[in-house]
Amino acid sequence: AYEIKECDWSSDVCSSDLLLKLPIHMNQVGDVVSAQAHNLWWIATGGSGMKVPAETRIFGSVSYNLAALMLLAASGILVLWLSHGASSERLLMLPAYQAFAWFCLTTRAHENHWFFALPLAALSLPTGRPMRLVFTAISFTGLNNLILHDPHLLPQLKGFISERCLFWMQIV
């Protein structure tokens, strides 16, 4: 099997083990709440997550990072609980749910970090309509997030898309 051993993080040329290194890498760079990922923390900061340090306290001694860690732990526990006695169809869906939960709940996420949920969701497409809807929703929200932060595409779209539509794209 093909395996690259190193990543050049500065140029985004990465290895086959990028998925495993992504959480570690994110904790080493960029200490912001959201690096343009339209997730829970982007919403909580009103879209200004790039300007809010991830260690900012949101209530008491709980920072964005600690809140994210607690929510991620809860989502992981929920997935493990749902896996107990689950059908093979549900077992195929759970990794996609967990991957998308990670994107939605983690701090320091970039707009392109939702990608790894897609192949996991695609594995369960044959299981039926619910997963096709999830796959469509993940695809739509991810593409929308990428469009909103593409430095070349968005200025061109502004001539074709109304400001109201762009506003709703940011909310989705």
Side-chain angles (χ1 to χ4, degrees):
Y2 178 70
E3 182 175 335
I4 300 174
K5 297 290 184 187
E6 297 182 17
C7 285
D8 178 2
W9 295 108
S10 62
S11 68
D12 288 336
V13 175
C14 298
S15 71
S16 62
D17 60 351
L18 168 65
L19 185 59
L20 299 175
K21 291 181 179 180
L22 183 60
I24 295 166
H25 173 66
M26 287 176 55
N27 284 319
Q28 295 171 345
V29 298
D31 192 27
V32 294
V33 172
S34 176
Q36 298 184 352
H38 289 211
N39 63 9
L40 175 64
W41 309 115
W42 184 86
I43 294 168
T45 60
S48 61
M50 287 285 288
K51 299 173 189 161
V52 179
E55 290 301 327
T56 301
R57 307 275 184 237
I58 49 178
F59 48 88
S61 61
V62 178
S63 66
Y64 284 103
N65 273 344
L66 183 56
L69 181 62
M70 291 187 298
L71 289 170
L72 286 167
S75 73
I77 290 167
L78 177 63
V79 164
L80 288 173
W81 180 74
L82 290 171
S83 69
H84 180 69
S87 66
S88 58
E89 289 84 12
R90 176 172 266 184
L91 286 175
L92 284 172
M93 293 179 193
L94 293 176
Y97 290 144
Q98 184 61 35
F100 198 60
W102 177 85
F103 172 76
C104 292
L105 299 174
T106 194
T107 56
R108 302 177 179 147
H110 289 265
E111 69 277 7
N112 58 353
H113 288 164
W114 63 274
F115 275 126
F116 72 95
L118 274 182
L120 295 171
L123 289 174
S124 62
L125 283 175
T127 63
R129 181 183 163 109
M131 204 55 205
R132 287 193 293 269
L133 293 173
V134 169
F135 185 82
T136 302
I138 292 172
S139 298
F140 175 75
T141 57
L143 178 61
N144 188 39
N145 200 171
L146 290 174
I147 289 170
L148 287 170
H149 296 289
D150 187 298
H152 305 291
L153 183 59
L154 187 59
Q156 294 176 15
L157 288 178
K158 285 187 177 181
F160 298 102
I161 298 176
S162 70
E163 289 298 317
R164 185 179 178 118
C165 183
L166 285 173
F167 170 77
W168 284 107
M169 282 176 69
Q170 290 180 15
I171 292 176
V172 172

